[in-house]
């Protein structure tokens, strides 16, 4: 069985159908890049994986567990699937170190000292060794997003989900976040990434998925399809992105 | 009758005793009101249909009726309906609990729901159960936003205790009235009573400002 399996998965918000009978299998070690026009369902697809949105049809299996199996199973899935948001969503009343240490303490049952030691190692990894004592409001957007990545990694997930992690950042700050993500990909982390950064897709992407109206329109090797899009709307979309 | 400010000194001990009763009702009532308000507010914000409906009904019943009617109900009607007799003091405290609780519930609900949804999602996404997200992430943030409107409610509740004159509780306003009945010194007495209230509400305001200053609103 694949690590993540969408089986005829649908999702509606009331009368609005956002995902329509999606079939998709993702193996461990893959770096899947999701693109598509606004409203095509990229975020929704990602958020179904960790149950921030509940699917309304079909099934969705993550690491052998169904997202529909109830709250407890969902928490197990969320420990295996870290998420990074466009707006960072750091906890403003906590320092960077506390943000990263919270998950391991509450979810993995580490002591404060253990959690903070591990949090410091993760901050080192994302290049923020000396920022542990800073509050989010005292950090730049790029720094905040790197703390957010460290926070997600702290729970030791098997897959990382990124929803436009660099879209809220000034161009000169995007690269420091992308570098951390490239590093993660090279270490073999399974990743599903919604992004418009085609350079990222070309460098480390193992698959590129183009979504349209809640369906997967193209699913192929990024290096092959970015330069010669197989679909006129994807071609049009890419010409606007770059 | 000539206004004679110096006689204010004479009723200070009596007024202080009345103020003590006012403070006692307010403090006990607000402690209960905060507990009730937090429970009802969280039921409104996060409870399922049934819990939400219960809290909603309670809040609307209280907000839609005057506090004087509420305390009259507790003191005079409750003993008839259920066989519960309560003394005026307990009725007064209970009235503040129930009344402040409803307003505090709305304050609590508003503060919790005003916290950006993304933070809740971030907490859930690291695998924390919802109660932990509320306790460790949303709660502390909501608390900061709670302080200004809560302070306002504290002052309202303190002044509301004066209405318990209707069931004969010997609080500050009632004390003023009693002195008045003895010597008819209206100007001096009501000035003194007003000053007592101002000192109490002023102290509350200063204390709340100090707390607000120490806590950054995030
Ligand atoms: N909570 C919600 N309630 C109702 N409709 C929603 C909700 N979330 C998303 N939608 C709708 O679902 C559709 C798909 O949204 P989604 O966020 O998945 O798109 P997207 O591909 O990520 O777009 P974008 O590039 O703008 O982020 C949109 O029409 C959106 O308005
Ligand atoms: Mg989106």
């Amino acid at each position: 069985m694949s690590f993540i399996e969408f089986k005829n998965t649908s999702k509606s918000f009331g009368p609005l159908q956002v995902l329509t009978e999606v079939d998709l299998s993702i193996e461990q070690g893959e770096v899947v890049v999701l693109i598509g026009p606004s409203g095509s369902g990229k975020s929704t697809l990602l958020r179904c994986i960790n149950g921030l949105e509940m699917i309304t049809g079909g099934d969705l299996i993550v690491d052998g567990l169904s997202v529909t199996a109830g709250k407890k199973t969902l928490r197990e899935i969320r420990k295996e699937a870290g998420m990074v948001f466009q707006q960072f969503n750091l906890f403003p009343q906590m320092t960077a170190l506390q943000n990263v240490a919270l998950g391991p303490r509450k979810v993995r049952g580490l002591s404060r000292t253990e959690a903070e030691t591990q949090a410091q190692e993760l901050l080192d990894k994302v290049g923020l060794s000396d920022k542990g004592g800073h509050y989010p409001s005292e950090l730049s957007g790029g720094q905040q997003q790197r703390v957010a990545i460290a926070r997600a990694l702290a729970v030791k997930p098997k897959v990382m989900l990124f929803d436009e992690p660099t879209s809220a950042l000034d161009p000169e700050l995007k690269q420091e976040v992308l570098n951390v993500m490239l590093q993660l990909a090279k270490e073999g982390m399974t990743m599903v990434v919604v992004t418009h950064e085609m350079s990222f897709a070309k460098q480390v992407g193992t698959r590129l998925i183009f979504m349209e109206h809640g369906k997967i329109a193209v699913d192929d090797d990024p290096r092959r399809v970015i330069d010669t899009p197989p679909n006129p709307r994807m071609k049009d979309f890419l010409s606007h992105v770059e | 009758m000539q206004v004679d400010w110096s006689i204010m000194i004479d009723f200070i001990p009596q007024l202080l005793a009345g103020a003590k009763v006012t403070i006692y009702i307010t403090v006990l009532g607000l402690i209960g009101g905060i507990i009730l308000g937090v429970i009802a507010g969280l039921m409104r914000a996060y409870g399922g249909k049934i819990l939400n409906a219960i809290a909603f009904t309670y809040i609307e019943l209280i907000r839609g009726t005057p506090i004087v009617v509420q305390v009259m109900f507790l003191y005079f009607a409750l003993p008839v309906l259920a066989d519960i007799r309560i003394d005026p003091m307990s009725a007064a405290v209970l009235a503040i609990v129930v009344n402040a609780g409803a307003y505090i519930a709305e304050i609590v609900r508003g503060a919790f729901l005003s916290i950006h949804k993304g933070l809740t999602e971030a907490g859930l996404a690291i695998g924390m159960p919802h109660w932990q997200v509320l306790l460790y992430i949303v709660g502390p943030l909501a608390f900061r936003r709670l302080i200004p409107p809560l302070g306002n409610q504290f002052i309202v509740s303190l002044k509301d205790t004066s209405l318990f004159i209707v069931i004969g509780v010997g609080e500050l306003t009632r004390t003023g009235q009693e002195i008045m009945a003895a010597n008819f010194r209206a100007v001096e007495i009501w000035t003194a009573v007003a000053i007592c209230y101002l000192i109490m509400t002023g102290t509350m305001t200063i204390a709340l400002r100090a707390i607000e200053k120490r806590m950054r609103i995030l």
Side-chain angles (χ1 to χ4, degrees), chain B residues 8 168 214:
Chain B
M8 278 165 81
R214 287 191 48 177

Side-chain angles (χ1 to χ4, degrees), chain A residues 38-39 41-44 47 86 163-164 194:
Chain A
S38 181
K42 308 178 295 292
S43 298
T44 305
R47 291 159 58 86
Q86 184 174 350
D163 193 356
E164 306 205 34
V194 178

